[in-house]
Amino acid sequence: MKCRNWPIGVCSWSLQKDITGVTQAMDKIGIEHVHLAIRPALEENAEDYLADLQKQNLTISAAMIDFPQEDYSTLETIKVTGGIVPNNFWEQNRQLFINATEVTATLGVKYLSMHAGFIDETDTAYAKIFHNRIQSLADTALEEGIVLLLETGQETAQQLRNFLNELNHPAVGVNFDPANMILYDKGQPVEAVRILGPWIRHIHIKDAIRTSRPGTWGKEVPWGEGQVGPEEFLSVLEEIEYDGVLAIEREAGDDRFEDIKLAAERLQSMGR
C-alpha cells in the first residue's frame, strides 16, 4: 500500500498487540512497513520476542526506543522526565540505548528513533549536557552503522535545526511528527518540514488540534480531522523530495485499529 511514491506503514505500539497481533492487523489493512518498538527486545523474554519477530514477514522502516521513567501526564511532567534529560536515569538510559542500537543493527534496520527530551538553548549548562549526551549516543549509533532519529515536537523546528547544525553529526536525523508540533504547541507542521527538511528521514502520520489553553496538551484526532492539513503536508514532503516511509501513529481513541485503517485508506486515496 502506497501514498504516491511513499510506502504506508504503522507504528507497532499504536496497535497495542504482541508482534504476532501487529502482523495480523497489518495484513488486514494491507501494509507491510512497521516502525518497531524495540524495548521488548531488550527486556525479559527478549529471545521469545525476537524469535516471534523473525517469523513475521515485516519490513521494518525504523526502530524506536523509549525510556521507562517518561511521564506524559502533562507538558510539565514530560519536560522533567523525557528522554535523556533526567540525570538520575542517564546511565541506565545510555545503556538501554546502546543495547537498542545493537539489536537494531542486528535486525538490519537503518534508523533508531527516540524522544530525546526538551532542547533548551537558554540554559547554557543544561544545553551543554544535552549536547554531550546526544553526541555520545550518536557516536554509538555511528559505530553500529545506524542513524539516530530525534523525534519532533518538544521544541520549535528552528530550535531543533539550530541544535542539529551545532551538533553536525553524520549519524543524526529527524523523525518528523506533524501532530507533535500541534500537541506541544510548537509551530506549524508544514513550515517545520521546510525548516528541518535536510534532516528528515522518517515520517509519522498523526493529526491533532491545538490547545486553547497554553501550557496544556492539544488533542490527538484521526488523520485528516485535525489541523495538520494532509494535502498541504504531502505537498511539502514532495517539495523537500522526501523518499521514506509514512508510518501511521495513533496514541488515542477508542478503536485504534479502525483509525489506523482509515488513515491508510485516506493516504492511499490521496496518492491517486
Side-chain angles (χ1 to χ4, degrees), residues 24-220:
Q24 290 172 346
M26 290 172 64
D27 287 344
K28 288 178 182 177
I29 298 170
I31 53 182
E32 298 175 353
H33 292 74
V34 64
H35 191 176
L36 183 72
I38 205 72
R39 192 142 66 95
L42 310 175
E43 298 177 331
E44 190 176 356
N45 300 320
E47 290 185 5
D48 293 340
Y49 179 81
L50 288 169
D52 287 343
L53 182 61
Q54 305 244 339
K55 297 174 186 176
Q56 314 305 322
N57 184 28
L58 297 174
T59 300
I60 305 171
S61 58
M64 183 278 291
I65 184 66
D66 62 330
F67 301 105
Q69 84 285 342
E70 292 175 321
D71 181 355
Y72 283 87
S73 300
T74 67
L75 291 177
E76 283 305 311
T77 58
I78 193 56
K79 184 174 184 179
V80 173
T81 65
I84 61 168
V85 169
N87 292 325
N88 292 345
F89 294 94
W90 163 238
E91 288 302 326
Q92 170 188 319
N93 289 340
R94 185 179 69 85
Q95 189 58 54
L96 191 62
F97 181 87
I98 290 170
N99 296 344
T101 62
E102 293 172 353
V103 173
T104 300
T106 298
L107 292 172
V109 179
K110 185 175 181 179
Y111 301 122
L112 174 62
S113 75
M114 71 174 190
H115 278 289
F118 281 69
I119 294 172
D120 184 357
E121 299 169 323
T122 64
D123 185 334
T124 304
Y126 170 88
K128 183 177 181 180
I129 292 171
F130 190 89
H131 180 283
N132 290 344
R133 288 178 181 177
I134 293 294
Q135 175 82 45
S136 171
L137 300 185
D139 289 346
T140 298
L142 187 63
E143 290 172 5
E144 292 289 347
I146 65 175
V147 177
L148 163 60
L149 300 184
L150 305 181
E151 185 160 340
T152 51
Q154 301 181 58
E155 57 285 315
T156 67
Q158 190 59 55
Q159 286 172 323
L160 182 53
R161 182 185 176 103
N162 292 345
F163 176 78
L164 292 167
N165 273 324
E166 181 185 350
L167 188 68
N168 191 28
H169 200 291
V172 177
V174 167
N175 179 68
F176 189 88
D177 186 316
N180 281 353
M181 307 304 298
I182 296 169
L183 290 168
Y184 288 91
D185 198 18
K186 292 298 181 180
Q188 299 296 333
V190 169
E191 183 56 32
V193 170
R194 293 192 176 105
I195 292 170
L196 294 169
W199 291 274
I200 295 174
R201 300 289 179 268
H202 199 260
I203 295 285
H204 277 175
I205 293 295
K206 189 167 74 182
D207 211 338
I209 297 172
R210 200 175 304 274
T211 181
S212 59
R213 293 169 51 222
T216 63
W217 285 108
K219 179 183 179 182
E220 185 187 333

Side-chain angles (χ1 to χ4, degrees), residues 8-25:
I8 299 171
V10 67
C11 297
S12 65
W13 57 93
S14 292
L15 289 162
Q16 299 177 302
K17 298 178 182 293
D18 62 17
I19 198 63
T20 301
V22 167
T23 303
Q24 290 172 346

